[in-house]
Amino acid sequence: MFDWFIFQQGAMAFLIAFAMAGAFTLAFKLIYQWVTPYHEHTLIREGNTAAAIALGGALIGYVLPLASALSHTVSLMEFAAWALLAGVIQIVVFVAISRMAFRNLVVRIEAGEIAAAVYLASISICVGLLNAACMTS
């Protein structure tokens, strides 16, 4: 039998968690775009597919650990801590890749080179998967 009261409690918890995850995702996107030396928003509006792929990979790489954190945490504060850590890791990886391992990455993304974007997106997603797997304590 369907219990409306239990459903309401679960739905409220769902809405709070979903809103919080959405807010963290938006905050990550804005901070990530602030950290990157190119302007994704402008490049994407101009039709730069490479910028869209790179940003999409970073967002997927960030949301994967958020989903894991939502599944494995017991409080919103604990979720927030994991969300913050996941964002920091994604940004540190971007900085490390763009400044140390692949120095002309920024120029290549701005030029619309898909290979560079797929490489960056793949790294972001891999880091996100590892991040998510590590959140199973």
Side-chain angles (χ1 to χ4, degrees):
M1 177 179 223
F2 182 74
D3 189 331
W4 181 250
F5 181 72
I6 291 175
F7 173 77
Q8 285 179 316
Q9 286 180 322
M12 185 56 68
F14 164 82
L15 290 173
I16 291 168
F18 191 83
M20 198 165 168
F24 271 107
T25 302
L26 179 61
F28 169 78
K29 180 183 177 280
L30 295 173
I31 293 167
Y32 185 85
Q33 288 179 299
W34 178 69
V35 168
T36 58
Y38 47 89
H39 303 283
E40 285 96 343
H41 184 73
T42 303
L43 292 171
I44 292 168
R45 281 184 175 240
E46 293 172 351
N48 186 319
T49 305
I53 291 168
L55 180 59
L59 287 170
I60 293 168
Y62 178 67
V63 170
L64 286 167
L66 285 192
S68 179
L70 283 169
S71 297
H72 293 96
T73 58
V74 294
S75 72
L76 292 177
M77 287 301 293
E78 185 181 5
F79 168 72
W82 285 117
L84 181 63
L85 179 61
V88 168
I89 290 170
Q90 280 291 339
I91 290 169
V92 166
V93 167
F94 169 79
V95 170
I97 294 298
S98 66
R99 293 194 181 150
M100 291 183 250
F102 198 5
R103 291 184 187 216
N104 64 349
L105 178 67
V106 171
V107 174
R108 293 179 69 180
I109 297 290
E110 288 176 330
E113 289 188 32
I114 302 300
V118 170
Y119 175 74
L120 180 58
S122 298
I123 289 172
S124 295
I125 293 168
C126 288
V127 167
L129 282 169
L130 291 174
N131 232 344
C134 292
M135 293 181 183
T136 59
S137 58

